[in-house]
Amino acid sequence: MTGMGGVLGLGVAAQPPQAIHVVAGQNRPPAWPVTPAVRVNLAARGELARIMGELRPGVVIHAACVSRAADCEQQPEHAHKVNIEAVEELLASAVFADSFVVYVSTEQVFDGYAERYFEDSPVSPRTVYGSTKAAAERRVLEFGGAVVRLPLLLGGSAGPGRMGADTAVVQAVRSGRAMSLFTDEIRTPVHVDFVAPMLEKIAREGHTGIFHLAGSQAVSRYELGQRACEVAGVEPNFEASLAAEFDGPPRSLRLELDCERAIKELVWEPPDLRQSLSRTFATPFEAVAND
Ligand SMILES: NC(=O)c1ccc[n+]([C@@H]2O[C@H](COP(=O)([O-])OP(=O)(O)OC[C@H]3O[C@@H](n4cnc5c(N)ncnc54)[C@H](OP(=O)(O)O)[C@@H]3O)[C@@H](O)[C@H]2O)c1
């Protein structure tokens, strides 16, 4: 799996140890002692192919990418290199290594104008981030791999600036930082701990095509913040604002992923918000992050 140093990686690391090699990011030492780890810079052409040739993994779960929309807008060429070209390199080397590829994608491949997005809804990205992820999806599908679209992720802290949306709010409130949350940006968030075993299942059973793995409840960012504070036992202290008036890269207002295929074929049971939030705040996330 690539991207083990990220928020989703936290969920995977929380699973029972797997016989997988961890192809981590290049910036920080991999924190997970349960599996062998390899460092790779996806922006350096040839590194991933070399590692694929050495490891010859049966399956690659590719989660690493430039995942912050603002970073992608500021450095579109870098985003293109890491989010598209590295995927092309991965797929080319997967042919030689005979590896199955599970690609982790995002709801941000959609524009947010529809009531609900299905696995076969046409993609309609509005940002550089969403466009690069949609382009990579297309390549993975042509290759015959699996594409797993995720919603806003909840979970602990995988390092500074890298945390589940619920942890980010609660940390900001605890530190007294001024913050405003959108009341018109609707998401179906889910905790990474629920997603991780599904990724493993898709990989183990070799499912192909597109899957959506989202939570069962659609909430605004503002409501998510309120509920997170409630479960964490802190007093909500933030302003309300409108994404429609946001002065920055375009924001998709309503992103609801329909998970019908995952429910039928993977027996995915979309968790509700309380189930997800309880995961984060029942486990002291500082302890997980520093493990
Ligand atoms: N977080 C969300 O709310 C969310 C929502 C929907 C979908 N997703 C998808 O889920 C996946 C994981 O997201 P995340 O939130 O866990 O991301 P994250 O916390 O930002 O972590 C990104 C990971 O990618 C690695 N990476 C970035 N650039 C790299 C490079 N040049 N070379 C090697 N590794 C590099 C990072 O390595 P370092 O540790 O070395 O920096 C890190 O391990 C992504 O595919 C994302 O599109 C996330």
Side-chain angles (χ1 to χ4, degrees):
M1 176 163 173
T2 65
M4 282 296 284
V7 177
L8 183 61
L10 268 184
V12 174
Q15 302 299 306
Q18 307 288 318
I20 56 172
H21 290 272
V22 177
V23 181
Q26 81 282 19
N27 296 324
R28 290 174 296 123
W32 326 118
V34 290
T35 44
V38 179
R39 284 167 169 236
V40 63
N41 179 5
L42 295 177
R45 191 178 284 266
E47 267 196 31
L48 186 56
R50 178 179 55 75
I51 284 163
M52 286 285 290
E54 282 168 18
L55 297 180
R56 296 192 162 269
V59 177
V60 179
I61 300 174
H62 187 54
C65 72
V66 183
S67 70
R68 286 179 41 153
D71 293 344
C72 293
E73 298 293 326
Q74 278 160 19
Q75 292 188 291
E77 281 169 22
H78 180 66
H80 192 278
K81 208 177 262 184
V82 174
N83 292 3
I84 302 178
E85 290 172 29
V87 172
E88 289 169 346
E89 185 173 318
L90 169 71
L91 297 174
S93 41
V95 172
F96 288 106
D98 197 19
S99 313
F100 181 61
V101 174
V102 179
Y103 175 67
V104 180
S105 192
T106 168
E107 60 188 3
Q108 300 290 330
V109 297
F110 296 121
D111 56 17
Y113 296 128
E115 272 296 299
R116 207 168 171 74
Y117 291 96
F118 300 88
E119 292 86 351
D120 59 357
S121 299
V123 294
S124 48
R126 298 183 67 201
T127 57
V128 173
Y129 171 58
S131 304
T132 58
K133 297 293 284 186
E137 278 191 358
R138 200 170 55 246
R139 286 155 174 78
V140 173
L141 292 171
E142 283 164 7
F143 167 84
V147 166
V148 183
R149 293 193 187 122
L150 302 179
L152 183 66
L153 292 177
L154 306 182
S157 169
R162 230 176 235 171
M163 52 192 82
D166 47 352
T167 297
V169 171
V170 169
Q171 276 206 359
V173 169
R174 280 189 175 140
S175 65
R177 188 149 36 89
M179 182 175 48
S180 73
L181 296 175
F182 299 134
T183 52
D184 59 344
E185 189 171 284
I186 309 299
R187 300 290 184 261
T188 47
V190 72
H191 195 285
V192 289
D193 283 3
F194 293 103
V195 172
M198 289 292 122
L199 291 177
E200 202 251 331
K201 185 170 191 177
I202 291 168
R204 189 164 24 83
E205 297 176 0
H207 295 273
T208 59
I210 300 172
F211 289 94
H212 290 175
L213 297 174
S216 66
Q217 274 171 280
V219 287
S220 70
R221 292 262 190 179
Y222 187 85
E223 191 182 347
L224 172 64
Q226 285 182 314
R227 296 284 303 278
C229 288
E230 191 185 301
V231 175
V234 298
E235 193 62 35
N237 184 16
F238 40 77
E239 305 285 316
S241 59
L242 290 174
E245 293 174 357
F246 179 66
D247 184 20
R251 303 199 61 104
S252 301
L253 292 187
R254 184 177 192 91
L255 290 174
E256 247 189 87
L257 294 176
D258 186 280
C259 302
E260 207 47 41
R261 185 174 174 216
I263 291 168
K264 279 197 193 119
E265 295 181 28
L266 305 175
V267 202
W268 167 246
E269 294 175 13
D272 64 25
L273 191 56
R274 175 159 284 277
Q275 284 174 290
S276 277
L277 291 172
S278 306
R279 280 288 173 133
T280 303
F281 300 109
T283 324
F285 52 79
E286 291 85 354
V288 172
N290 297 327
D291 219 0

